[in-house]
Amino acid sequence: MSNPALTRLPLTDTAAGLSTRLGWVLAVAVTCLAAASVLTEPFTRLTLASGGAVFLMLAVFILLGRLVLRRRLATLRRQVEALVAHDAAPTFCTDSIGQIDFQNASAGDRFGPQGGETLVRAMGGLFANPSAVMFRLQSKAAAVGAAREDVVTRRGHARLSVHRIGGRRFLWRLEEMLERSGSGRGAESLGLPMLVASKGGTILFMNDAMRRLVGGRPKSLDRVFRHLPLRSGEETIVSGADGPLRALVAEIEGAGERREIYLLTAAAAGERSLGPDEAVFEELPVALVRLDSEGTVENANRIARDLLALTREETPAFTEVVEGLGRPVGDWFKDVVGGRGPVHSEVLRATRLDADRFLQISLRRTVDNGTPGVLAVLSDATELKTLEAQVVQSQKMQAIGQLAGGVAHDFNNLLTAISGHCDLLLLRHERDDPDYADLVQVHQNANRAASLVRQLLAFSRKQTLKPEVIDLRETLGDLMHLLNRLVGERVTLVRNYDEALDPIRADKRQLEQVLMNLIVNARDAMPDGGRVWIETENRALTEDLLRDRAVVPRGNYVIIRVRDEGTGIPPERLTKIFEPFYTTKRPGEGTGLGLSTAYGIVKQTGGFIFVDSILGTGTTFSLYFPVFAGQVADQAEDAGVKAARVDGPVPNVSFPLLRAGEGVVLLVEDEAPVRAFAARALRMRGYTVLEAENAEDALDMLADAALKVDVFVTDVIMPGMDGPSWVREALKDRPEVRVVFVSGYAEDSFTETQARIPNSVFLPKPFSLGELTATVQGQIH
């Protein structure tokens, strides 16, 4: 049976457009024919008459199109009516301004006749702020075709959905979810007091049991509860209609950041106890477990059984289904039964599942008919525990980095003294001296120790980098010969380079170290041989890339991938591979610093490193480096400092390019062995050296205006005033003095401070005799 209201459905935009066009065409046709009837010139009359005839024919076609469109609209109306007429959910059809011109039988039963009214008025008393909700839904439906939203009503929850039909028409459907989890009880009829609140604490809905409990309809949570914030599973004080009362709070997160709060209250033996009827207990949206005083499970509702992997008939001991992550569960349970200690929650692990599942559990002592027991409130904390593990891992990596940086600094001081005094001894021995070979061995092993320290500094991102603009194609091309020697004959290197690779800014030597470390690991993962791919590409990220707790900002990047077909890395080890000294190799086959060094270098360069691995298939390391977009500057090092980088362990060579030392050097170093070596080295080159143990002693010396000093050589980190601070003070009276900073930490740690000190250079520890004297001479000359 056709609904007469539907026949009042207006034309769509297309039909309205045809009507407008028909009016214009008829007006033009009548004008042309009228003009033709009054004019006398034959050709003009014929032209106007022909035009009028054409426009009349066009009007006929438009009229026919309008009739066809009306027929299609009528068909659409019948289809819509047939589709929703017997739908159990209330359904409305509205125009673009929300006026109702059709409603099905369910809508009539639920809301009464609403013909000609707006949908906002029809649903005004159903849920909060209907105009804003409907405007938001209709706007989205107009843009994408459909939209839906869950709302809280006085009778529970409802889902309001809207579809765009036939141009600017909208079909609305209200699906009221009166039954919660199949319990057969709507929120309004639920015997348990419950309310729905916004994230800010505004009460959106209260069922009848809650309204009776508090004696009205308060607007915010602070009018209901004495103590905020609420904690699920803990007892709180409720401002009841008959005075304050205690109740256990159970809270779950609802749709749209809404909070569903349930109260468990009853009275027995002068004390509040828990005893909602079994049907409500079974279908509560909160996981609950009743335990007797011995810790045996008496009853668990459906959600709790799912979390613990229990059947309805099972009654195991609570300690059999969960285990503590620290304190034994049995001890905690005994304290709760005995009423000892405050109510709090613990995170425990469910023992009956193959995969790890962590549960946040609150225990509360109860008394039912004089018999003590415990109520457990459970919530799934697996995601929270995973996030916590990630944070702990990040903090551990940071702590290890700080420790590595501090250890490296102390070792650099020791190695400076060892290698420096070894240099002094080598200067006093000829090559044919029996002790010469032993001294060379000491010097070489000191260099090996210095290399290990550099790896520690690389992991802690505190090493000194010398960044330059790099063309990766040239860098990889120069490195391929060495890489082929590293992998051996059983491993094949496969290159796949982007021909138009953008430049990056990085320390070329350190980047080569990263690639060698990754290639060596790939080789070791394939004991029977195989292939290793080195791939590069340009990548433009249009939005931030979120991966492995890292955020790669959008922009242009150059990606280097090192991919092997080896044994792969187990998932439980993937989170540890960048930790220093972590290795899966046998003793003596690796230090465990290769990947941690790569990680530190890439991060200090401003890049990102990620790993993907499948057991039995292989592993891929992906390195993201930001594209360098600036101007390429002169990258040559200072000539004096560059000349100081003398390779090899033997320092007893002449320096034909360097003149004998001239000038006065003020040496400030708190480490006595380092200060002794540096002073002797400089005096051997002919410099006058003044020594100071700390900054305060240095400033006392400089108080003598007659004292002439050409160069300050100072440690950066010292007890009391640090190097940059005392140098700034001294330069106020001696602005022409040049400065050499030395430190076991990285240059980056005080780059900004050094930049504000004119005529200063940095010499990292450990340094050799040749490096120290050449740097000082470079500053003077």
Side-chain angles (χ1 to χ4, degrees):
M1 190 68 183
S2 179
N3 191 317
L6 192 61
T7 62
R8 298 195 301 271
L9 190 67
L11 292 174
T12 63
D13 290 345
T14 305
L18 288 177
S19 299
T20 303
R21 295 187 186 96
L22 179 61
W24 280 103
V25 170
L26 285 175
V28 173
V30 170
T31 302
C32 290
L33 293 175
S37 65
V38 298
L39 293 176
T40 58
E41 203 278 318
F43 180 77
T44 304
R45 291 183 64 187
L46 179 61
T47 301
L48 291 175
S50 299
V54 170
F55 279 110
L56 278 176
M57 292 179 63
L58 182 59
V60 171
F61 282 119
I62 292 176
L63 183 60
L64 291 175
R66 183 179 177 187
L67 293 174
V68 171
L69 185 58
R70 281 184 176 275
R71 184 169 296 177
R72 289 180 179 176
L73 286 175
T75 302
L76 177 62
R77 285 195 294 269
R78 288 194 296 271
Q79 290 173 344
V80 170
E81 181 181 15
L83 179 67
V84 302
H86 302 292
D87 191 350
T91 305
F92 300 89
C93 186
T94 68
D95 58 16
S96 59
I97 63 173
Q99 187 172 357
I100 299 171
D101 44 41
F102 168 75
Q103 63 184 87
N104 67 357
S106 297
D109 294 340
R110 176 71 174 84
F111 297 97
Q114 297 291 333
E117 295 289 346
T118 63
L119 190 60
V120 171
R121 174 169 293 185
M123 296 190 180
L126 186 63
F127 54 88
N129 204 4
S131 59
V133 173
M134 292 179 190
F135 176 78
R136 182 167 60 248
L137 289 175
Q138 183 169 308
S139 298
K140 184 176 180 180
V144 300
R148 69 181 184 181
E149 185 171 326
D150 292 339
V151 296
V152 179
T153 70
R154 297 183 181 279
R155 303 173 64 181
H157 287 68
R159 174 166 295 169
L160 183 62
S161 57
V162 57
H163 294 262
R164 188 185 69 229
I165 57 172
R168 298 182 60 81
R169 312 296 306 164
F170 298 93
L171 184 69
W172 299 82
R173 186 172 185 271
L174 180 69
E175 185 181 1
E176 295 185 276
M177 295 172 279
L178 300 180
E179 296 188 357
R180 300 188 59 82
S181 305
S183 67
R185 293 172 179 263
E188 187 65 50
S189 59
L190 186 67
L192 202 65
M194 70 85 64
L195 61 84
V196 178
S198 68
K199 188 177 181 180
T202 301
I203 296 176
L204 305 176
F205 168 77
M206 301 174 71
N207 70 353
D208 184 63
M210 179 63 83
R211 293 193 297 270
R212 291 198 308 270
L213 182 68
V214 300
R217 295 176 180 269
K219 300 296 183 183
S220 59
L221 292 180
D222 57 358
R223 299 295 183 89
V224 177
F225 302 102
R226 293 286 185 89
H227 307 292
L228 295 175
L230 299 175
R231 292 179 175 83
S232 185
E234 296 187 8
E235 192 176 74
T236 190
I237 304 298
V238 179
S239 300
D242 300 325
L245 70 155
R246 289 185 295 164
L248 186 67
V249 176
E251 179 178 337
I252 62 173
E253 184 177 349
E257 296 188 339
R258 295 184 173 95
R259 305 162 58 189
E260 295 185 14
I261 299 170
Y262 298 82
L263 299 184
L264 309 179
T265 63
E271 193 175 329
R272 303 287 179 186
S273 68
L274 303 171
D277 62 73
E278 294 303 317
V280 174
F281 179 83
E282 174 67 15
E283 296 301 337
L284 274 176
V286 181
L288 299 175
V289 178
R290 290 196 186 106
L291 306 168
D292 63 16
S293 59
E294 301 299 322
T296 302
V297 175
E298 291 184 333
N299 192 8
N301 67 359
R302 180 181 54 81
I303 295 180
R305 292 196 302 272
D306 292 342
L307 290 176
L308 297 172
L310 293 174
T311 63
R312 186 186 290 269
E313 294 77 18
E314 285 184 286
T315 58
F318 192 56
T319 53
E320 294 178 6
V321 294
V322 293
E323 62 181 10
L325 303 181
R327 182 187 182 191
V329 178
D331 292 349
W332 179 36
F333 183 84
K334 290 177 182 177
D335 286 346
V336 173
V337 173
R340 298 184 294 271
V343 176
H344 66 282
S345 60
E346 296 276 358
V347 176
L348 309 179
R349 191 178 73 87
T351 60
R352 293 194 168 195
L353 300 168
D354 294 332
D356 281 341
R357 174 178 287 170
F358 297 96
L359 304 174
Q360 184 170 4
I361 301 178
S362 298
L363 299 182
R364 177 182 178 271
R365 183 177 184 272
T366 64
V367 177
D368 192 6
N369 296 323
T371 302
V374 172
L375 179 74
V377 181
L378 289 64
S379 60
D380 193 341
T382 304
E383 184 176 350
L384 178 64
K385 197 66 180 176
T386 302
L387 180 61
E388 179 186 355
Q390 292 173 349
V391 172
V392 169
Q393 175 71 7
S394 175
Q395 292 174 339
K396 182 172 71 173
M397 295 285 280
Q398 183 180 5
I400 292 175
Q402 291 175 342
L403 176 62
V407 169
H409 170 260
D410 293 339
F411 265 96
N412 276 334
N413 280 325
L414 295 174
L415 291 172
T416 300
I418 293 171
S419 62
H421 284 92
C422 191
D423 286 347
L424 295 173
L425 287 171
L426 284 168
L427 289 174
R428 299 204 301 268
H429 290 74
E430 298 299 328
R431 291 180 181 272
D432 56 358
D433 192 300
D435 295 330
Y436 187 84
D438 294 335
L439 292 173
V440 169
Q441 283 294 320
V442 173
H443 197 281
Q444 288 177 342
N445 281 280
N447 287 339
R448 289 180 60 190
S451 176
L452 183 63
V453 170
R454 281 194 295 271
Q455 288 181 308
L456 285 173
L457 283 172
F459 168 74
S460 62
R461 291 179 256 171
K462 293 180 179 179
Q463 66 173 340
T464 298
L465 297 181
K466 300 295 182 184
E468 58 183 291
V469 179
I470 294 175
D471 184 340
L472 276 176
R473 291 169 298 179
E474 295 181 3
T475 302
L476 292 172
D478 296 341
L479 195 61
M480 283 307 297
H481 178 68
L482 176 59
L483 295 180
N484 278 309
R485 290 175 55 191
L486 281 175
V487 298
E489 297 180 354
R490 305 179 68 182
V491 175
T492 303
L493 286 180
V494 182
R495 293 175 289 178
N496 183 13
Y497 299 161
D498 190 327
E499 293 299 326
L501 212 58
D502 292 324
I504 65 171
R505 189 169 186 269
D507 186 314
K508 182 177 179 180
R509 181 181 174 187
Q510 298 297 337
L511 180 59
E512 291 173 347
Q513 182 68 51
V514 170
L515 293 173
M516 286 191 290
N517 290 351
L518 296 179
I519 293 296
V520 168
N521 278 353
R523 178 201 66 189
D524 294 344
M526 300 183 295
D528 298 326
R531 290 176 295 176
V532 177
W533 286 264
I534 303 176
E535 303 169 340
T536 63
E537 67 166 311
N538 292 323
R539 172 75 64 84
L541 298 180
T542 57
E543 57 184 20
D544 293 351
L545 173 65
L546 306 178
R547 179 174 175 184
D548 299 347
R549 308 189 306 276
V551 180
V552 183
R554 62 183 179 181
N556 296 320
Y557 291 85
V558 173
I559 301 177
I560 305 175
R561 292 191 186 89
V562 177
R563 177 164 57 93
D564 64 59
E565 50 185 9
T567 55
I569 304 172
E572 63 272 12
R573 293 180 178 175
L574 277 178
T575 58
K576 300 180 179 180
I577 60 173
F578 293 120
E579 295 181 10
F581 306 113
Y582 179 81
T583 179
T584 58
K585 300 176 184 177
R586 292 190 296 269
E589 292 186 356
T591 63
L593 285 173
L595 287 178
S596 63
T597 300
Y599 173 85
I601 293 172
V602 171
K603 297 297 287 184
Q604 191 173 357
T605 305
F608 299 84
I609 182 170
F610 303 110
V611 58
D612 299 284
S613 187
I614 301 176
L615 277 179
T617 301
T619 302
T620 300
F621 285 90
S622 301
L623 284 64
Y624 286 68
F625 293 100
V627 170
F628 177 74
Q631 297 294 323
V632 179
D634 183 10
Q635 298 173 6
E637 288 187 84
D638 180 87
V641 177
K642 189 172 183 178
R645 308 296 179 181
V646 181
D647 293 330
V650 184
N652 63 335
V653 295
S654 61
F655 297 93
L657 298 180
L658 303 179
R659 295 172 294 173
E662 300 172 355
V664 179
V665 177
L666 175 56
L667 175 63
V668 186
E669 169 63 62
D670 62 306
E671 291 285 340
V674 177
R675 188 172 67 252
F677 151 66
R680 286 182 60 189
L682 292 171
R683 289 189 179 108
M684 288 176 61
R685 293 298 303 156
Y687 295 104
T688 300
V689 181
L690 306 175
E691 299 181 45
E693 184 178 358
N694 51 54
E696 290 75 13
D697 290 349
L699 291 175
D700 289 342
M701 289 184 185
L702 295 174
D704 182 0
L707 180 65
K708 182 181 181 302
V709 177
D710 298 293
V711 178
F712 297 149
V713 178
T714 177
D715 196 4
V716 175
I717 306 298
M718 297 181 292
M721 188 180 294
D722 62 22
S725 298
W726 84 259
V727 166
R728 278 196 298 268
E729 187 68 25
L731 289 179
K732 292 178 181 179
D733 299 323
R734 302 170 184 264
E736 74 286 352
V737 178
R738 293 180 172 268
V739 184
V740 177
F741 288 109
V742 297
S743 178
Y745 287 114
E747 182 179 5
D748 290 349
S749 61
F750 74 109
T751 299
E752 294 183 3
T753 302
Q754 181 190 347
R756 295 193 294 269
I757 298 177
N759 302 320
S760 63
V761 296
F762 178 78
L763 180 63
K765 295 178 182 177
F767 49 79
S768 66
L769 183 151
E771 289 174 334
L772 174 63
T773 56
T775 302
V776 171
Q777 188 159 339
Q779 282 291 82
I780 292 179
H781 297 292

